[in-house]
């Protein structure tokens, strides 16, 4: 299939490479010339504008940093909805607000495009391995049309509901992931400071009711799990800065329907506090929240 891929960053580049490996033809666009030409050795063509990339595409994927970039790429002058004669299926895989997804889909449908939001879980590692999970918000017919192409980049694709529902699912998943990570880090530090090693408590909770994805597969204590970001100086994985963005989206969604999200709000505050203790933390994996619970010089504080 002829595919335009817009946003050739940490996620977009490996996703586009997997599409090339599956035999699709890719035309890449990124505002960064070095990013878009990085796919040339893999066989991609490059374009110097969004419109040029999408002009004869059957499907367009966008993988952009935030809602402002998505709105500019779809709704801005020279953007995807502006002046494409053909009507490629438009699939936004970026994590943005359900409101942005709804705006793009409303405007897109009004102009005769099929539109889907299809944010992903699985991170950079999953993007390279082709094991992403897609959460899709679209009409059912559009989901059926894009499903197989999504599975060329991932292992699972869920139809969450109509336009915007994919973003809502992604935001809920990430809020829970942040809560679980902070809770797991808290428990490991508590156990260590009371004489039970992080490795020992991990083994015990993983066989008990407290076991969870973070304790089992993304363990925040360095050395407990050999291949975790925590055991690699918190490199790789999912960056604190991106999680803060997603938690901000969750807070906005909660506010819009007056929902109480005390744990999500606390998790966001913890991530922000962590980022503010050291600017380098913004680009570390979210498991680095562990360091917030391990003071450099622990002091007795009267009970
Ligand atoms: P990134 O910053 O590495 O890549 C984004 C790319 O978009 C960059 O190459 C940038 O130059 C390009 N870009 C910015 N504005 C543009 C525009 N107007 N037109 C064309 N290109 C533009 O970010 P990433 O880590 O690849 O994340 C992309 C999206 O995926 C984000 O919405 C993020 O929240 C989401 N996401 C990231 C991860 C992760 O682990 N990195 C996991 C899940 C979801």
């Amino acid at each position: 299939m002829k595919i335009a891929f817009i946003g050739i960053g940490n996620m977009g580049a490996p996703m586009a490479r997997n599409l090339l490996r599956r035999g699709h033809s890719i035309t890449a666009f990124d505002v960064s010339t070095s990013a878009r030409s990085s796919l040339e050795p893999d066989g991609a063509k490059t374009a110097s504008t969004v419109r040029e990339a999408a002009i004869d595409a059957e499907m367009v994927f966008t993988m952009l940093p935030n809602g402002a970039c998505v709105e500019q790429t779809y709704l801005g002058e020279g953007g995807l909805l502006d002046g494409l004669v053909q009507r490629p299926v438009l699939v936004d895989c970026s994590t943005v607000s359900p409101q942005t997804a709804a705006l793009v889909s409303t405007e897109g449908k009004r102009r005769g495009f099929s539109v889907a939001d299809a944010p992903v879980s699985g991170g950079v590692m999953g993007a390279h391995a082709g094991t992403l999970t897609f959460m899709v918000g679209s009409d059912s017919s559009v989901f059926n049309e894009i499903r197989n192409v999504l599975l060329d980049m991932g292992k699972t694709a869920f139809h969450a509901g109509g336009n915007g529902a994919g973003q809502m699912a992604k935001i809920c998943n990430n809020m829970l992931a942040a809560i679980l990570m902070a809770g797991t880090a808290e428990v490991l530090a508590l156990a260590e400071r009371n004489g039970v090693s992080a490795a020992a408590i991990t083994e015990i909770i993983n066989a008990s009711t407290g076991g969870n994805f973070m304790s089992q597969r993304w363990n925040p204590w360095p050395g407990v799990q050999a291949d975790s970001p925590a055991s690699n100086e918190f490199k790789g994985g999912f960056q604190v800065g991106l999680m803060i963005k997603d938690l901000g989206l969750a807070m906005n969604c909660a506010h819009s329907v007056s929902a109480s999200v005390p744990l999500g709000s606390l998790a966001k505050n913890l991530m922000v506090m962590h980022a503010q203790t050291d600017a380098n933390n913004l680009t570390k994996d979210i498991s680095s929240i562990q360091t917030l619970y391990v003071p450099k010089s622990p002091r007795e504080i009267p009970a």
Side-chain angles (χ1 to χ4, degrees):
M1 186 180 286
K2 278 188 174 176
I3 294 175
F5 210 109
I6 294 163
I8 314 297
N10 290 325
M11 294 294 289
M15 289 167 73
R17 273 194 197 98
N18 279 328
L19 290 175
L20 284 162
R21 278 187 205 117
R22 296 297 183 118
H24 298 288
S25 125
I26 301 288
T27 305
F29 173 73
D30 193 292
V31 283
S32 150
T33 45
S34 61
R36 63 188 187 232
S37 58
S38 68
L39 289 180
E40 278 171 0
D42 302 280
K45 285 178 262 173
T46 53
S48 50
T49 63
V50 168
R51 191 168 174 276
E52 187 191 325
I55 193 97
D56 61 352
E58 295 161 84
M59 207 172 274
V60 179
F61 284 94
T62 46
M63 194 50 166
L64 297 163
N66 54 47
C69 293
V70 168
E71 287 192 27
Q72 185 202 349
T73 300
Y74 283 83
L75 308 172
E77 202 182 324
L80 289 169
L81 304 188
D82 183 26
L84 284 180
V85 178
Q86 287 190 30
R87 291 287 183 264
V89 183
L90 305 174
V91 187
D92 181 32
C93 296
S94 329
T95 305
V96 299
S97 71
Q99 290 75 17
T100 297
L103 177 65
V104 165
S105 69
T106 303
E107 290 302 313
K109 286 176 179 180
R110 203 162 61 79
R111 293 166 163 91
F113 291 89
S114 297
V115 187
D117 46 289
V120 303
S121 180
V124 176
M125 283 183 295
H128 280 273
T131 55
L132 293 171
T133 296
F134 287 87
M135 309 166 203
V136 182
S138 69
D139 296 342
S140 300
S141 57
V142 177
F143 177 69
N144 292 334
E145 205 174 340
I146 65 175
R147 189 171 177 277
N148 284 341
V149 185
L150 298 181
L151 294 179
D152 286 337
M153 299 180 278
K155 65 173 184 335
T156 327
F158 291 102
H159 188 220
N163 291 94
Q167 296 296 352
M168 199 56 232
K170 165 74 182 169
I171 287 165
C172 288
N173 176 73
N174 278 22
M175 188 174 101
L176 184 55
I179 294 167
L180 288 175
M181 186 58 90
T184 303
E186 194 164 302
V187 159
L188 299 192
L190 177 67
E192 274 271 343
R193 292 179 71 176
N194 284 278
V196 180
S197 74
I201 194 68
T202 293
E203 200 177 349
I204 292 163
I205 62 178
N206 283 350
S208 310
T209 48
N212 65 80
F213 190 90
M214 304 308 166
S215 64
Q216 288 158 3
R217 291 169 58 186
W218 203 340
N219 197 287
W221 197 276
V224 169
Q225 192 191 325
D227 60 351
S228 69
S231 300
N232 185 27
E233 298 170 336
F234 302 108
K235 290 181 192 146
F238 187 58
Q239 294 181 5
V240 168
L242 287 174
M243 180 56 99
I244 291 173
K245 178 189 95 166
D246 294 356
L247 289 168
L249 295 174
M251 295 306 105
N252 292 342
C253 289
H255 183 67
S256 71
V257 293
S258 302
S260 295
V261 283
L263 293 176
S265 168
L266 181 56
K268 176 168 185 276
N269 276 298
L270 286 169
M271 290 286 168
V272 170
M273 198 188 301
H274 176 48
Q276 285 174 344
T277 51
D278 181 345
N280 294 326
N281 289 345
L282 265 180
T283 52
K284 289 185 183 165
D285 177 62
I286 54 166
S287 60
S288 62
I289 194 80
Q290 185 69 74
T291 58
L292 201 61
Y293 290 97
V294 185
K296 288 203 173 70
S297 49
R299 278 206 211 124
E300 288 295 321
I301 296 173

PDB file of all heavy atoms in Angstrom, residues 73-88:
ATOM      1  N   THR A  73      -0.830  19.970  11.472  1.00  0.00           N
ATOM      2  CA  THR A  73      -0.607  19.027  10.363  1.00  0.00           C
ATOM      3  C   THR A  73      -1.907  18.682   9.640  1.00  0.00           C
ATOM      4  O   THR A  73      -1.927  18.498   8.424  1.00  0.00           O
ATOM      5  CB  THR A  73       0.075  17.749  10.907  1.00  0.00           C
ATOM      6  OG1 THR A  73       1.312  18.141  11.489  1.00  0.00           O
ATOM      7  CG2 THR A  73       0.316  16.724   9.823  1.00  0.00           C
ATOM      8  N   TYR A  74      -3.013  18.610  10.385  1.00  0.00           N
ATOM      9  CA  TYR A  74      -4.296  18.255   9.760  1.00  0.00           C
ATOM     10  C   TYR A  74      -5.063  19.493   9.303  1.00  0.00           C
ATOM     11  O   TYR A  74      -5.592  19.519   8.197  1.00  0.00           O
ATOM     12  CB  TYR A  74      -5.168  17.453  10.745  1.00  0.00           C
ATOM     13  CG  TYR A  74      -4.742  16.010  10.876  1.00  0.00           C
ATOM     14  CD1 TYR A  74      -3.707  15.637  11.721  1.00  0.00           C
ATOM     15  CD2 TYR A  74      -5.360  15.007  10.130  1.00  0.00           C
ATOM     16  CE1 TYR A  74      -3.306  14.305  11.836  1.00  0.00           C
ATOM     17  CE2 TYR A  74      -4.973  13.686  10.230  1.00  0.00           C
ATOM     18  CZ  TYR A  74      -3.946  13.338  11.082  1.00  0.00           C
ATOM     19  OH  TYR A  74      -3.552  12.028  11.184  1.00  0.00           O
ATOM     20  N   LEU A  75      -5.115  20.503  10.187  1.00  0.00           N
ATOM     21  CA  LEU A  75      -6.048  21.606   9.933  1.00  0.00           C
ATOM     22  C   LEU A  75      -5.373  22.875   9.437  1.00  0.00           C
ATOM     23  O   LEU A  75      -6.049  23.794   8.961  1.00  0.00           O
ATOM     24  CB  LEU A  75      -6.811  21.946  11.231  1.00  0.00           C
ATOM     25  CG  LEU A  75      -7.491  20.768  11.948  1.00  0.00           C
ATOM     26  CD1 LEU A  75      -8.037  21.207  13.290  1.00  0.00           C
ATOM     27  CD2 LEU A  75      -8.611  20.195  11.092  1.00  0.00           C
ATOM     28  N   GLY A  76      -4.037  22.943   9.541  1.00  0.00           N
ATOM     29  CA  GLY A  76      -3.323  24.159   9.160  1.00  0.00           C
ATOM     30  C   GLY A  76      -3.280  24.351   7.647  1.00  0.00           C
ATOM     31  O   GLY A  76      -3.648  23.450   6.874  1.00  0.00           O
ATOM     32  N   GLU A  77      -2.794  25.535   7.269  1.00  0.00           N
ATOM     33  CA  GLU A  77      -2.662  25.837   5.832  1.00  0.00           C
ATOM     34  C   GLU A  77      -1.660  24.858   5.216  1.00  0.00           C
ATOM     35  O   GLU A  77      -0.581  24.636   5.765  1.00  0.00           O
ATOM     36  CB  GLU A  77      -2.158  27.276   5.693  1.00  0.00           C
ATOM     37  CG  GLU A  77      -2.486  27.878   4.348  1.00  0.00           C
ATOM     38  CD  GLU A  77      -1.908  29.286   4.247  1.00  0.00           C
ATOM     39  OE1 GLU A  77      -1.883  30.018   5.250  1.00  0.00           O
ATOM     40  OE2 GLU A  77      -1.459  29.602   3.130  1.00  0.00           O
ATOM     41  N   GLY A  78      -2.033  24.257   4.096  1.00  0.00           N
ATOM     42  CA  GLY A  78      -1.143  23.262   3.470  1.00  0.00           C
ATOM     43  C   GLY A  78      -1.160  21.937   4.203  1.00  0.00           C
ATOM     44  O   GLY A  78      -0.360  21.045   3.916  1.00  0.00           O
ATOM     45  N   GLY A  79      -2.078  21.784   5.182  1.00  0.00           N
ATOM     46  CA  GLY A  79      -2.165  20.547   5.971  1.00  0.00           C
ATOM     47  C   GLY A  79      -2.916  19.456   5.220  1.00  0.00           C
ATOM     48  O   GLY A  79      -3.331  19.624   4.071  1.00  0.00           O
ATOM     49  N   LEU A  80      -3.146  18.343   5.924  1.00  0.00           N
ATOM     50  CA  LEU A  80      -3.712  17.161   5.249  1.00  0.00           C
ATOM     51  C   LEU A  80      -5.132  17.389   4.723  1.00  0.00           C
ATOM     52  O   LEU A  80      -5.511  16.837   3.700  1.00  0.00           O
ATOM     53  CB  LEU A  80      -3.709  15.977   6.221  1.00  0.00           C
ATOM     54  CG  LEU A  80      -2.323  15.411   6.526  1.00  0.00           C
ATOM     55  CD1 LEU A  80      -2.380  14.442   7.692  1.00  0.00           C
ATOM     56  CD2 LEU A  80      -1.738  14.743   5.288  1.00  0.00           C
ATOM     57  N   LEU A  81      -5.920  18.194   5.429  1.00  0.00           N
ATOM     58  CA  LEU A  81      -7.308  18.384   4.990  1.00  0.00           C
ATOM     59  C   LEU A  81      -7.435  19.484   3.941  1.00  0.00           C
ATOM     60  O   LEU A  81      -8.510  19.725   3.414  1.00  0.00           O
ATOM     61  CB  LEU A  81      -8.207  18.735   6.188  1.00  0.00           C
ATOM     62  CG  LEU A  81      -8.214  17.748   7.360  1.00  0.00           C
ATOM     63  CD1 LEU A  81      -9.284  18.147   8.364  1.00  0.00           C
ATOM     64  CD2 LEU A  81      -8.439  16.326   6.874  1.00  0.00           C
ATOM     65  N   ASP A  82      -6.308  20.127   3.687  1.00  0.00           N
ATOM     66  CA  ASP A  82      -6.326  21.307   2.822  1.00  0.00           C
ATOM     67  C   ASP A  82      -5.772  20.951   1.450  1.00  0.00           C
ATOM     68  O   ASP A  82      -4.571  20.891   1.253  1.00  0.00           O
ATOM     69  CB  ASP A  82      -5.465  22.390   3.508  1.00  0.00           C
ATOM     70  CG  ASP A  82      -5.460  23.698   2.744  1.00  0.00           C
ATOM     71  OD1 ASP A  82      -6.428  23.953   2.022  1.00  0.00           O
ATOM     72  OD2 ASP A  82      -4.480  24.447   2.886  1.00  0.00           O
ATOM     73  N   GLY A  83      -6.657  20.655   0.498  1.00  0.00           N
ATOM     74  CA  GLY A  83      -6.188  20.549  -0.879  1.00  0.00           C
ATOM     75  C   GLY A  83      -5.726  19.186  -1.354  1.00  0.00           C
ATOM     76  O   GLY A  83      -5.090  19.088  -2.394  1.00  0.00           O
ATOM     77  N   LEU A  84      -5.998  18.113  -0.586  1.00  0.00           N
ATOM     78  CA  LEU A  84      -5.712  16.780  -1.136  1.00  0.00           C
ATOM     79  C   LEU A  84      -6.903  16.361  -1.995  1.00  0.00           C
ATOM     80  O   LEU A  84      -8.036  16.335  -1.510  1.00  0.00           O
ATOM     81  CB  LEU A  84      -5.522  15.744  -0.022  1.00  0.00           C
ATOM     82  CG  LEU A  84      -4.207  15.757   0.752  1.00  0.00           C
ATOM     83  CD1 LEU A  84      -4.217  14.661   1.805  1.00  0.00           C
ATOM     84  CD2 LEU A  84      -3.019  15.588  -0.188  1.00  0.00           C
ATOM     85  N   VAL A  85      -6.653  16.055  -3.260  1.00  0.00           N
ATOM     86  CA  VAL A  85      -7.760  15.684  -4.150  1.00  0.00           C
ATOM     87  C   VAL A  85      -8.227  14.271  -3.810  1.00  0.00           C
ATOM     88  O   VAL A  85      -9.410  14.005  -3.637  1.00  0.00           O
ATOM     89  CB  VAL A  85      -7.325  15.798  -5.629  1.00  0.00           C
ATOM     90  CG1 VAL A  85      -8.466  15.374  -6.549  1.00  0.00           C
ATOM     91  CG2 VAL A  85      -6.896  17.228  -5.931  1.00  0.00           C
ATOM     92  N   GLN A  86      -7.252  13.347  -3.687  1.00  0.00           N
ATOM     93  CA  GLN A  86      -7.613  11.995  -3.253  1.00  0.00           C
ATOM     94  C   GLN A  86      -8.011  12.044  -1.779  1.00  0.00           C
ATOM     95  O   GLN A  86      -7.730  13.015  -1.091  1.00  0.00           O
ATOM     96  CB  GLN A  86      -6.413  11.066  -3.399  1.00  0.00           C
ATOM     97  CG  GLN A  86      -6.095  10.710  -4.839  1.00  0.00           C
ATOM     98  CD  GLN A  86      -5.058   9.597  -4.887  1.00  0.00           C
ATOM     99  OE1 GLN A  86      -4.991   8.775  -4.003  1.00  0.00           O
ATOM    100  NE2 GLN A  86      -4.258   9.588  -5.931  1.00  0.00           N
ATOM    101  N   ARG A  87      -8.624  11.008  -1.294  1.00  0.00           N
ATOM    102  CA  ARG A  87      -9.038  10.985   0.107  1.00  0.00           C
ATOM    103  C   ARG A  87      -8.386   9.797   0.813  1.00  0.00           C
ATOM    104  O   ARG A  87      -9.029   8.766   1.052  1.00  0.00           O
ATOM    105  CB  ARG A  87     -10.574  10.885   0.218  1.00  0.00           C
ATOM    106  CG  ARG A  87     -11.297  12.154  -0.248  1.00  0.00           C
ATOM    107  CD  ARG A  87     -11.110  13.255   0.788  1.00  0.00           C
ATOM    108  NE  ARG A  87     -11.820  14.481   0.451  1.00  0.00           N
ATOM    109  CZ  ARG A  87     -11.275  15.531  -0.169  1.00  0.00           C
ATOM    110  NH1 ARG A  87     -10.010  15.493  -0.566  1.00  0.00           N
ATOM    111  NH2 ARG A  87     -11.980  16.610  -0.399  1.00  0.00           N
ATOM    112  N   PRO A  88      -7.070   9.900   1.176  1.00  0.00           N
ATOM    113  CA  PRO A  88      -6.446   8.792   1.909  1.00  0.00           C
ATOM    114  C   PRO A  88      -7.091   8.635   3.286  1.00  0.00           C
ATOM    115  O   PRO A  88      -7.656   9.602   3.814  1.00  0.00           O
ATOM    116  CB  PRO A  88      -4.991   9.241   2.047  1.00  0.00           C
ATOM    117  CG  PRO A  88      -5.009  10.717   1.906  1.00  0.00           C
ATOM    118  CD  PRO A  88      -6.165  11.049   1.006  1.00  0.00           C
TER     119      PRO A  88
END
